Amino acid sequence: MNCGMLATVEDGVVTKLVGDPEHPFNLGAQCPRGASALDHLNHPNRINYPLKQVGKRGAGQFKRVSWKEALDDIAARLAVLKEEYGAETIATTGGTNRTDDFARRRFFNLIGSPNVVHTAPVCWIPNFLTESASYGWAAFDPEIAGARCVVVWGHNPGSSYLPEMRGLLQAKANGTKIIVIDPIYSETASKAELWLPIKPGSDNALALAWLNVIINEGLFDYKFVAEWTVGFDELSDRVQEYTPEWAAEKTGISPELIAESARIYAMSKPACIQWGVATDQLGKGSTASAQARVALRIICGNLDVPGGDVMPGPHPTFVTDWEMELNEMLPEVQRNKQLGSEKFKLNSWPGYKLLTENMLRVWGKSIPAEWFCEANPSRVFRAMATGKPYPVKACIVLANNPLVSYANSKLVYKALKNLDLLVVMEYWMTPSAMLADYVLPVASWLERPVMTTTYGVSDWLIASERAIEPLYERKTDFDFWKELGYRMGQVEYWPWETDEDMFKYRLDPIDLGVDSYEEFVQYYRMHFADREYRKYQTRGGATLSGKIELKISLFEQLGYDPLPHYVERPFSPETKPEIAEQYPMTLVAGGGFMPFFHSEHKEITRIRLLRPYPRVTINPALAEKFKIEEGEWIWIETPTGKVKQTAFISPAVAPDVIQAERGWWFPEKEVTEPSLMGVFDSNINVCVDDDPDTCDELCGSFCSRGIMCRISKVEEDA
Ligand SMILES: Nc1nc2c(c(=O)[nH]1)N[C@H]1C(S)=C(S)[C@@H](COP(=O)(O)OP(=O)(O)OC[C@H]3O[C@@H](n4cnc5c(=O)[nH]c(N)nc54)[C@H](O)[C@@H]3O)O[C@H]1N2
Ligand SMILES: Nc1nc2c(c(=O)[nH]1)N[C@H]1C(S)=C(S)[C@@H](COP(=O)(O)OP(=O)(O)OC[C@H]3O[C@@H](n4cnc5c(=O)[nH]c(N)nc54)[C@H](O)[C@@H]3O)O[C@H]1N2
Ligand SMILES: [Mo]
C-alpha cells in the first residue's frame, strides 16, 4: 500500500524495521503485514533458487538449477512455440500491480503477443475506463479533507486502505458527512452518518434512482452542466423510468431513504464519491453501474474541483509507464488476435486505441496498456484448456496466484495443467507454482528499489531504495524480463544495467539536480506535479466532443449504449428462475480483510495466528435455522462449485446474504496433487462462475458480489 518504512541495516543484514513517522501515507504506522515484514524476508519457505520440475506436474519434484540454465531453456522453448503457433500462443498473467509495471508489457510487445492478462477486469477497470471515456482520465484522487460529504461506494478502506481511512476519520471530525453503500456493516460503515445496506449487486439501480431524484428535483449544477457537458437532455429522459420506488424493490432500500441520501449528496458541495472494486465485481452491468455513478459526480459539479473528485492526469515530465511500454511495436495483426477483444472491447485494443487518441490530444500521453488494454482472463484460460479459438501453450505467471485469484478455479487448474510451458516467478511455493515447469525466486521490497505512479496513472510518484541486495539467488522482476528479453533478441531494448539505472532514466526529465536514483530517494522520495483544477476548462475534455460526456461517444463508437441504463444482475431469481429455489441465498465472494493481502501471507505465523481459518459471515437467524454454531465448518455451494469455511455469526449481514472470504489455501496441508495445499477446499473462486454471458458486457469482469448460493452444515469430519 506504499507505506513508508525505515530499515536498519547492519553488515548487510536488516535488523530492524519501523514505520516512517515522516511518511505522509502511514505517518509511522504499520499494519500486521508491515510489522511482520522481516519474517517475510527471511522465512524458511521462501524460494531462494531457480527450481525446475523434473517429475509430473503437481508431484512436487523440483530440482535446483542455475538462472542461466533456466532462462536459456525457457527462451529456447518460447522460441519454438512462437515459431510453431505464433507469438499469441505465449501468454502472461499478473495480479494486483506490484513492481514490474511496464517491463512485462515491453517484453510482450517485443515478442509480439497481445495476450497479457491481469485480474484488472475485477479491479478498477470498469470504473476507471468509464471515467476515462466520459471525461478523459479517472478522477480517483478525492480531496476528502475539503469535502462536505463523502460517499463511500462499495469500498471499505477501514480494512483495505488504512491511510485513506485515517483521512476519512479526520474529515468526519471536521464535519464531513459520510455515507457508506455496502451490503455489509463494514469497518467503514461503522463510522458513517448514513449506511445504506444495499442488496448485493444492485448498485446500478441505486445510482440510476439517485440520478432520477437529483435531476427531477433540480438539485444538479445547471451552470456546470450547460457549459461543460454534453448529453444532459438525453440522460434526463433516460432516467425518468428509474424512480426511487422502482429502485427500492431492487436494492432493498426504501424510496424515502434513496431520495434522502441522494439529496444529501447533491446538496453538500463540494462532495466526493469514492468507489471501490465491489462495483467492478458485479459481473454483467459493472460498467453500466459505473456509467450511472460517473454521471452523478458530473451533474453535481464535483469533477476536478477542490474538495471534489480530482482527476490527476498523467505525470507531465516523468517518463511514464505508457512511454516505456513500446506499444507501437505490437503489429496490428497481433493486436487483432487479443483474446476476448471482439466481445469485451473497452479494456482491450479496440477501446484502448480510441481512448489513446483522445488522451494524446489533451494530455500528450496515454494510460498504460498494462492493466488497461488486456486479453480477457476467461478467454485465455479457455484457450489454454481447449486450444480454442487457438492454442495458448505457454504462460509466464508473475506476481499472481491464478488458481486462487480468478473465477472458476477448476477451469484455471485445467488450463495451467494443459500448458506446454508454465513459468512462475514467486516468493513462495503457491498452489499455482506447484504446477510450473520452472519456479523462479523473486526479490521483495526490501531487496529492490520501488518506484510507482499508481499503475502509471497518477501525477505523483513515490520511490524507495533497496535496503539490501537480493538474498540468495533472488532477482527483481525487472531483471527477469530484461534477462529473458536478452535471450529473445531484445538486447537493444533493455539498455539499463540495474533497476536503479532504469528509474534514473525515467526521473531525469523532472530535472531535480540529482546524480543518481539513490540521491533522489534520499532527498525527495516523492514528487508531486503542480495541480490545476478544472482541467476541462483549460485543456478541454479528452473525449471525442472535447466536453465532459454524459452520453459517452466512445461507447457509441464501440457499439455500446452511451447512456446510463439498467442491467439486471447476472445471478438473481429474475435472471435464473430455474435455480432460484435450489440456491435461495446471496453470496458476496470477496472484500479485502485484515490481516491478509489476497491469497498472501498464509505462511507467516504472526499473521496467520490472527486468522487461522477462513470465515464466512452469516446472520444469526440463518445460523439458528441451520443449527450452526460459531466456528463450525459449513459448505457454501453454487452451481459452479462447493467449498467450506467456518461460520462467523453476526448481524452485519442480512439474513439472506452470506459473505465468504477470498484467497484461501493452506501451506500446511498436503503440498502435492490432488490437494495442492488445499487450494480447492476453501477457495471461494471455486464457486464463482466465469461464463462470459454473466461477465461485464464491456470489460468481461466476472461477478463475485451477489451470487445465488446455498449453505449446509459440514456433517462429516471433513
Ligand atoms: N472472488 C474474488 N476474487 C477476486 C477478488 C475478490 O474480491 N473476490 N479480488 C480481485 C482483486 S481486486 C485482485 S487485485 C486480485 C488479486 O490477485 P493476485 O494479485 O493474484 O493475488 P495474490 O494472492 O496477492 O497473489 C499474488 C502472488 O504474487 C506473489 N507476489 C507478491 N509480490 C510479488 C512481486 O513483487 N513479484 C512477484 N513475482 N511475485 C509477487 C505473492 O506471493 C502471491 O502468491 O484478485 C481478484 N480476485
Ligand atoms: N487488507 C487488505 N487490503 C487490501 C487488499 C487485501 O487483499 N487485503 N487488496 C487490495 C486491492 S488489490 C484492492 S483492489 C483493494 C480493494 O478494496 P475495496 O475497494 O475496499 O474493495 P473490497 O475490499 O473488495 O470490497 C469493499 C466492500 O464492498 C462491499 N460489497 C460487497 N458486495 C457489494 C455490492 O454488491 N455492492 C456494494 N456497494 N458493496 C459491496 C464489501 O462488503 C466490502 O466492505 O484493497 C486493497 N487493500
Ligand atoms: Mo485489486
Side-chain angles (χ1 to χ4, degrees):
M1 312 312 290
N2 299 322
C3 292
M5 303 275 274
L6 296 174
T8 306
V9 182
E10 293 170 287
D11 298 328
V13 177
V14 186
T15 52
K16 195 175 152 200
L17 266 177
V18 293
D20 179 355
E22 287 173 13
H23 197 282
F25 291 12
N26 57 317
L27 306 177
Q30 289 180 320
C31 77
R33 298 190 297 266
S36 62
L38 282 183
D39 297 3
H40 188 283
L41 180 71
N42 299 310
H43 199 282
N45 285 23
R46 278 285 293 268
I47 293 164
N48 297 324
Y49 304 98
L51 299 172
K52 179 178 182 171
Q53 180 105 244
V54 289
K56 255 178 60 189
R57 277 220 184 107
Q61 288 163 284
F62 288 99
K63 176 183 123 191
R64 180 175 161 186
V65 293
S66 70
W67 268 102
K68 182 171 181 321
E69 184 183 338
L71 289 173
D72 284 350
D73 189 40
I74 293 166
R77 287 165 73 176
L78 290 178
V80 169
L81 289 170
K82 179 176 167 178
E83 181 66 30
E84 187 167 346
Y85 300 100
E88 63 277 11
T89 203
I90 305 168
T92 178
T93 72
T96 190
N97 183 293
R98 260 96 188 188
T99 59
D100 68 320
D101 303 323
F102 71 89
R104 178 194 314 251
R105 185 63 63 134
R106 191 173 175 104
F107 176 87
F108 270 80
N109 282 333
L110 291 169
I111 63 166
S113 173
N115 288 326
V116 176
V117 168
H118 281 85
T119 46
V122 289
C123 180
W124 215 18
I125 282 300
N127 278 311
F128 192 102
L129 292 181
T130 304
E131 294 186 62
S132 300
S134 177
Y135 38 76
W137 205 265
F140 61 88
D141 237 349
E143 284 195 349
I144 293 170
R148 290 187 55 216
C149 168
V150 179
V151 180
V152 184
W153 202 316
H155 183 43
N156 182 20
S159 131
S160 62
Y161 287 93
L162 297 184
E164 185 183 308
M165 190 65 194
R166 181 197 294 110
L168 214 50
L169 293 179
Q170 274 164 356
K172 180 181 159 151
N174 293 332
T176 302
K177 278 204 176 72
I178 298 173
I179 302 177
V180 170
I181 302 168
D182 196 310
I184 287 133
Y185 186 69
S186 66
E187 287 84 348
T188 311
S190 76
K191 307 291 184 192
E193 254 74 54
L194 190 58
W195 167 47
L196 303 183
I198 191 169
K199 277 191 199 170
S202 64
D203 301 82
N204 187 355
L206 180 67
L208 289 165
W210 272 25
L211 283 169
N212 177 295
V213 172
I214 292 169
I215 291 178
N216 288 341
E217 296 187 5
L219 304 177
F220 58 96
D221 186 330
Y222 283 86
K223 190 164 177 294
F224 176 82
V225 165
E227 270 178 63
W228 303 108
T229 72
V230 291
F232 181 78
D233 292 341
E234 284 132 303
L235 172 72
S236 174
D237 289 347
R238 179 62 77 84
V239 300
Q240 291 311 314
E241 61 185 290
Y242 305 124
T243 60
E245 292 69 26
W246 166 85
E249 195 205 317
K250 308 270 179 207
T251 59
I253 304 169
S254 72
E256 295 74 27
L257 193 51
I258 292 177
E260 188 196 332
S261 51
R263 289 179 199 127
I264 296 174
Y265 169 67
M267 293 167 77
S268 316
K269 276 185 85 165
C272 304
I273 310 182
Q274 273 181 290
W275 41 69
V277 301
T279 57
D280 296 316
Q281 300 185 9
L282 306 177
K284 204 171 186 152
S286 298
T287 302
S289 152
Q291 243 176 308
R293 275 174 299 117
V294 163
L296 281 167
R297 149 194 292 179
I298 297 172
I299 65 169
C300 292
N302 287 318
L303 182 66
D304 217 23
V305 297
D309 299 301
V310 176
M311 166 170 66
H315 196 290
T317 38
F318 172 75
V319 181
T320 63
D321 291 21
W322 172 74
E323 291 168 273
M324 296 293 284
E325 288 179 335
L326 303 181
N327 294 308
E328 65 283 4
M329 299 295 285
L330 186 70
E332 189 75 25
V333 288
Q334 291 306 101
R335 292 180 186 183
N336 294 340
K337 291 181 192 163
Q338 190 172 49
L339 286 166
S341 62
E342 79 302 335
K343 183 173 167 80
F344 308 116
K345 295 184 192 157
L346 182 58
N347 58 334
S348 57
W349 270 105
Y352 183 70
K353 186 168 171 283
L354 297 175
L355 278 168
T356 294
E357 282 165 15
N358 289 342
M359 286 174 176
L360 287 184
R361 243 186 353 261
V362 166
W363 307 108
K365 299 186 183 188
S366 182
I367 49 177
E370 191 78 349
W371 209 259
F372 300 101
C373 170
E374 303 215 323
N376 177 259
S378 312
R379 285 293 167 87
V380 172
F381 291 126
R382 278 154 205 256
M384 289 174 184
T386 66
K388 290 192 185 107
Y390 57 74
V392 172
K393 293 281 188 184
C395 185
I396 301 174
V397 170
L398 185 140
N400 189 207
N401 189 359
L403 279 180
V404 187
S405 306
Y406 295 94
N408 200 348
S409 309
K410 296 220 162 136
L411 173 85
V412 177
Y413 170 78
K414 272 195 207 121
L416 299 184
K417 281 282 274 194
N418 202 33
L419 288 166
D420 282 12
L421 178 65
L422 175 60
V423 176
V424 174
M425 180 84 171
E426 253 298 347
Y427 298 135
W428 317 96
M429 190 57 77
T430 63
S432 307
M434 274 297 289
L435 301 179
D437 301 290
Y438 284 100
V439 184
L440 304 172
V442 69
S444 49
W445 61 272
L446 285 162
E447 307 165 279
R448 68 185 178 210
V450 177
M451 192 164 78
T452 168
T453 58
T454 323
Y455 297 75
V457 296
S458 59
D459 61 349
W460 46 270
L461 66 92
I462 44 179
S464 70
E465 62 186 340
R466 46 178 123 208
I468 51 171
E469 287 300 314
L471 299 173
Y472 308 96
E473 289 183 12
R474 301 173 190 170
K475 271 189 198 292
T476 68
D477 290 315
F478 174 72
D479 265 339
F480 164 74
W481 292 118
K482 184 182 71 176
E483 292 182 20
L484 192 60
Y486 283 168
R487 289 168 169 80
M488 301 205 69
Q490 305 175 4
V491 176
E492 66 194 284
Y493 295 102
W494 300 93
W496 308 281
E497 185 98 357
T498 61
D499 293 48
E500 285 86 350
D501 294 341
M502 177 269 295
F503 288 145
K504 172 76 172 35
Y505 164 81
R506 301 180 64 186
L507 282 168
D508 270 347
I510 308 182
D511 195 18
L512 294 164
V514 292
D515 291 329
S516 66
Y517 176 74
E518 287 81 355
E519 261 186 37
F520 173 78
V521 175
Q522 199 180 339
Y523 294 122
Y524 298 99
R525 297 184 68 187
M526 17 194 123
H527 180 76
F528 295 84
D530 292 337
R531 270 253 159 106
E532 303 162 44
Y533 296 100
R534 299 185 176 88
K535 292 180 274 296
Y536 44 83
Q537 294 185 8
T538 46
R539 294 166 174 264
T543 57
L544 200 61
S545 62
K547 294 262 183 167
I548 294 164
E549 297 188 350
L550 291 163
K551 181 180 178 193
I552 301 177
S553 48
L554 192 132
F555 284 9
E556 208 160 31
Q557 285 173 291
L558 294 173
Y560 300 115
D561 190 339
L563 285 167
H565 58 283
Y566 183 66
V567 176
E568 184 64 46
R569 55 199 177 95
F571 303 99
S572 72
E574 289 73 35
T575 30
K576 297 206 181 283
E578 66 288 359
I579 56 164
E581 216 170 288
Q582 287 164 274
Y583 299 95
M585 280 158 240
T586 303
L587 166 68
V588 171
F593 62 97
M594 283 292 173
F596 298 116
F597 195 85
H598 297 289
S599 79
E600 287 185 61
H601 307 105
K602 302 292 184 286
E603 303 84 347
I604 298 174
T605 310
R606 283 156 59 112
I607 293 189
R608 184 70 183 281
L609 284 175
L610 296 172
R611 187 65 68 85
Y613 301 114
R615 226 167 67 165
V616 51
T617 307
I618 63 172
N619 185 280
L622 201 59
E624 170 80 34
K625 185 170 157 204
F626 284 84
K627 305 267 171 296
I628 293 164
E629 310 267 334
E630 177 92 15
E632 244 185 303
W633 288 92
I634 60 173
W635 291 115
I636 305 160
E637 196 176 349
T638 70
T640 311
K642 181 176 171 181
V643 296
K644 57 183 185 288
Q645 300 198 350
T646 66
F648 175 62
I649 302 171
S650 159
V653 294
D656 58 345
V657 173
I658 68 167
Q659 184 190 28
E661 289 178 349
R662 69 174 186 224
W664 276 94
W665 57 286
F666 308 88
E668 69 276 15
K669 284 195 182 178
E670 183 65 43
V671 176
T672 52
E673 296 243 50
S675 165
L676 292 176
M677 296 173 263
V679 72
F680 303 116
D681 297 354
S682 298
N683 159 16
I684 200 65
N685 277 335
V686 167
C687 303
V688 175
D689 201 349
D690 74 329
D691 174 354
D693 290 335
T694 64
C695 292
D696 182 53
E697 292 166 334
L698 282 70
C699 297
S701 327
F702 62 79
C703 175
S704 75
R705 317 279 161 124
I707 305 169
M708 298 161 87
C709 77
R710 64 180 175 222
I711 61 167
S712 55
K713 257 166 99 100
V714 174
E715 296 287 2
E716 73 271 37
D717 182 23

